[in-house]
Amino acid sequence: MTSADYHATGRDDRIRVRRGEVVIGRPLPWDVYDESGQLLLSKGFVVANPRQRQRLLDEGLRSPLQNLPESAAADTDTASSIGGNPFVTIDQLTVRLEGILSMVQQQNRVVSPQQRIRKMGRDIQALCNYDADAALGAAHLKHDTSYPYRHSIHTALLCELVARRLNWSVAQRLSVIAAALSCNVAMTALQAELVEQAEPLNDAQWDAIQAHPQRGRAMLEAAGISDELWLRVVMQHHECINGRGYPAGMRGDDVLPEARLLGLADRYHAMVTGRSYRNGMLVKDALRRIFLDAGQEVGSTLAQMFIKELGIYPPGSIVRLANGETAVVIRRKGELGGPMLACIANSRGEHYAQPLYRDSSEQEAYTIQDVHPSPGAVPFGLSRLWDY
Ligand SMILES: [Fe+2]
């Protein structure tokens, strides 16, 4: 939009830039003007620090014509209401999923599960367009809701981000997301049990795990799901191309690429998520495992795309900097090309009173040295770290 366009919308139409719309490390989705109508910052400008952000909140006005980033509007097949705080959105999605899946489990045909789960899928696509880095941060650090539903939402977010990189169509991605949200519908109670269980599986648990893809497909069909790709991905999400998966022991290209992606995202998220009896695996170890096992399980191309999308230090990684500080990676790329960081502790491990934002490319001292081997508790909530 040009300055002339701005004035053409009428000065009474201009609206103030709101908290939640300006995020540190992310490009502005629109031009921003001051009170007099002069261009303050152009669309695409990356807000680098809290000072710039505060100035925008104090002085910034924008056209009301465009509420969403263009990519979000163009890439989803419905007007999306996603905006504001993505971590709140993820909480809402988790509650919605629990409600829908419990109705599928009770065989309540009134709920239109296909429509409702696909609507959730479009919201997840919009969320990934709105703030992919926050979505990745949640997948690594958000542990405060019921595991089976949280795991499904985060797996769906990972699938969408990698499928976008693979240039899969919106419709194809939607079927994968829907499968990610519903593939464990036949074992949500068991999943919740296993996340607390340090002992090996007993026979009944083992049988239920082996049967859950088939049972899940049957439950979804009975509930009215008719999307064949969605159903096939649910059936195949534990198959591996080396024939060692289940339930059918399929091999090679017989396993759908969409099912391989879901299987990969499912395993990765399970690896990095802690259990009540153990911590989650360090991100770099999980990515290394994917790199080493991938050719056997899902194929090397898909595994490489997965690793490429996340990067070595995906958002949510807790790292140590050259100056000894502990930081959470909050964005894959800041203005200078390196990850953006929220520093949480000094070199002696003492927590800061508030997160200190750094661009890892700005100074040698802020360079990431390694993943933190024993980071301990993060003293801030995700909304605070991501500055929402
Ligand atoms: Fe599963």
Side-chain angles (χ1 to χ4, degrees):
M1 176 181 281
T2 64
S3 182
D5 292 333
Y6 168 83
H7 286 291
T9 65
R11 298 199 43 171
D12 291 340
D13 291 339
R14 68 197 174 189
I15 58 173
R16 194 156 283 287
V17 171
R18 292 188 295 259
R19 197 175 172 79
E21 291 181 329
V22 181
V23 181
I24 290 174
R26 213 178 70 194
L28 291 173
W30 10 248
D31 293 334
V32 178
Y33 301 84
D34 67 12
E35 295 278 356
S36 68
Q38 292 302 306
L39 185 67
L40 209 56
L41 290 169
S42 297
K43 176 181 169 180
F45 177 86
V46 177
V47 180
N49 54 51
R51 188 173 36 79
Q52 287 179 350
R53 179 174 179 271
Q54 193 54 52
R55 186 170 173 224
L56 273 175
L57 294 176
D58 292 344
E59 300 177 30
L61 299 164
R62 67 172 179 85
S63 161
L65 299 178
Q66 189 185 31
N67 284 312
L68 279 173
E70 277 176 8
S71 56
D75 205 27
T76 54
D77 60 356
T78 185
S80 171
S81 58
I82 299 299
N85 185 331
F87 304 107
V88 172
T89 302
I90 288 172
D91 280 339
Q92 290 164 346
L93 287 168
T94 308
V95 172
R96 276 164 68 189
L97 182 64
E98 184 167 2
I100 297 169
L101 293 189
S102 65
M103 284 191 264
V104 170
Q105 288 157 348
Q106 291 157 25
Q107 298 186 318
N108 183 346
R109 294 293 302 266
V110 186
V111 296
S112 315
Q114 179 153 304
Q115 206 181 341
R116 293 176 66 179
I117 294 174
R118 288 178 69 86
K119 171 72 175 77
M120 285 192 65
R122 288 191 291 272
D123 288 346
I124 281 173
Q125 290 181 321
L127 181 63
C128 288
N129 280 321
Y130 176 68
D131 196 339
D133 289 324
L136 281 172
H140 291 100
L141 284 182
K142 195 158 174 28
H143 310 305
D144 57 351
T145 45
S146 169
Y147 176 77
Y149 308 102
R150 159 165 57 95
H151 173 70
S152 297
I153 298 285
H154 293 160
T155 302
L157 289 164
L158 289 166
C159 285
E160 168 64 5
L161 291 171
V162 180
R164 271 190 344 191
R165 181 174 278 273
L166 290 160
N167 289 322
W168 290 359
S169 70
V170 172
Q172 185 185 13
R173 282 156 33 208
L174 206 48
S175 295
V176 179
I177 295 172
L181 294 175
S182 58
C183 62
N184 297 324
V185 64
M187 56 171 280
T188 51
L190 177 57
Q191 266 184 304
E193 199 179 301
L194 292 179
V195 85
E196 308 284 337
Q197 177 179 319
E199 301 80 42
L201 299 173
N202 62 38
D203 289 347
Q205 290 172 330
W206 182 249
D207 290 346
I209 288 173
Q210 293 284 313
H212 86 275
Q214 178 83 55
R215 283 192 58 222
R217 176 181 172 131
M219 287 168 78
L220 292 166
E221 274 189 297
I225 306 299
S226 58
D227 177 341
E228 189 54 31
L229 177 56
W230 172 354
L231 294 170
R232 289 179 70 199
V233 173
V234 169
M235 261 305 283
Q236 297 184 13
H237 75 281
H238 289 289
E239 299 287 356
C240 295
I241 61 174
N242 61 7
R244 292 189 187 156
Y246 62 90
M250 298 168 84
R251 282 183 171 274
D253 290 344
D254 288 346
V255 186
L256 291 169
E258 294 88 344
R260 295 184 212 176
L261 172 58
L262 173 51
L264 189 56
D266 181 34
R267 265 169 281 172
Y268 174 78
H269 187 260
M271 281 191 266
V272 297
T273 304
R275 303 283 187 270
S276 58
Y277 55 92
R278 67 156 172 83
N279 290 327
M281 194 182 279
L282 293 177
V283 166
K284 69 171 182 181
D285 294 337
L287 290 173
R288 186 184 298 128
R289 176 86 63 89
I290 281 177
F291 179 74
L292 294 174
D293 295 349
Q296 299 281 312
E297 293 176 352
V298 299
S300 54
T301 309
L302 183 55
Q304 279 164 15
M305 283 297 198
F306 191 91
I307 293 167
K308 212 168 178 177
E309 176 63 25
L310 268 66
I312 314 170
Y313 301 112
S317 307
I318 303 176
V319 293
R320 235 177 356 206
L321 308 190
N323 65 4
E325 286 183 312
T326 303
V328 177
V329 176
I330 56 167
R331 308 241 162 244
R332 287 167 291 180
K333 265 190 183 170
E335 199 177 5
L336 303 172
M340 288 286 296
L341 308 161
C343 291
I344 57 173
N346 65 18
S347 59
R348 294 184 299 281
E350 296 159 348
H351 287 152
Y352 291 131
Q354 57 185 20
L356 302 179
Y357 296 100
R358 313 227 190 271
D359 188 323
S360 62
S361 304
E362 197 181 333
Q363 285 185 28
E364 193 66 31
Y366 302 157
T367 310
I368 297 174
Q369 293 290 288
D370 201 355
V371 172
H372 201 300
S374 53
V378 176
F380 307 106
L382 300 190
S383 299
R384 186 83 192 282
L385 286 172
W386 267 261
D387 198 32
Y388 274 100

